[in-house]
Amino acid sequence: MILPKLSAALLSMSLFGSAYAVPDIDFDRETSLDQWVVISGAANGAASAFGASAEDVDQHRNTAFSHLMRYAQEQGFQLAEFDSLFERGQVEGRKLAETHRGLIAPSGTNLIDGFMHDKAIEYQNVKKALDA
């Protein structure tokens, strides 16, 4: 089970699709890098549950990996468990999307749009979100 403080972030993310829109919601300014990996995985899993292509899901994961690893390196952090944290997020994102399909369905377009944005997001935008 995910950490309770991430539940609101994951639900919000599943409505918007973008992991990096979460700071705009102002849920918590003390998010750890590990939690960002889980949130990114959740955006990936939720989009997958709403029909994102396997190619888009892979590209999104690769972008998240590249940007979050770069951020970790620049900040002097270790991010040794990226794969397991991202997969945990994917499972939770799928679960939230399936459990709250009725709530998300009206926003399904927003979810996919946010996901597609994050799939090609520039590093500077990710860094700005993580530094917020």
Side-chain angles (χ1 to χ4, degrees):
M1 190 64 189
I2 61 170
L3 297 171
K5 83 181 224 174
L6 288 181
S7 295
L10 292 174
L11 183 56
S12 296
M13 170 281 316
S14 67
L15 292 172
F16 298 109
S18 174
Y20 309 106
V22 174
D24 294 336
I25 298 166
D26 197 25
F27 79 97
D28 186 350
R29 299 286 184 194
E30 300 297 321
T31 304
S32 74
L33 190 56
D34 285 351
Q35 291 166 331
W36 278 110
V37 174
V38 173
I39 292 168
S40 295
N44 187 284
S48 177
F50 269 84
S53 73
E55 181 179 285
D56 287 339
V57 168
D58 287 344
Q59 184 177 352
H60 178 273
R61 185 200 177 287
N62 292 337
T63 298
F65 178 82
S66 172
H67 293 339
L68 293 172
M69 292 300 276
R70 177 178 172 185
Y71 184 83
Q73 182 180 17
E74 288 177 0
Q75 301 300 315
F77 299 138
Q78 292 290 329
L79 193 51
E81 296 183 26
F82 181 91
D83 291 330
S84 62
L85 292 168
F86 194 87
E87 289 170 15
R88 183 171 131 202
Q90 284 176 310
V91 168
E92 294 299 329
R94 273 190 225 100
K95 188 186 317 179
L96 280 168
E98 291 164 3
T99 302
H100 300 289
R101 187 168 285 277
L103 176 63
I104 298 169
S107 309
T109 301
N110 292 343
L111 186 147
I112 295 298
D113 287 348
F115 167 80
M116 296 304 274
H117 171 268
D118 285 1
K119 179 181 83 162
I121 193 169
E122 293 190 19
Y123 173 72
Q124 292 306 321
N125 294 331
V126 172
K127 185 178 186 313
K128 182 179 174 183
L130 272 61
D131 286 341

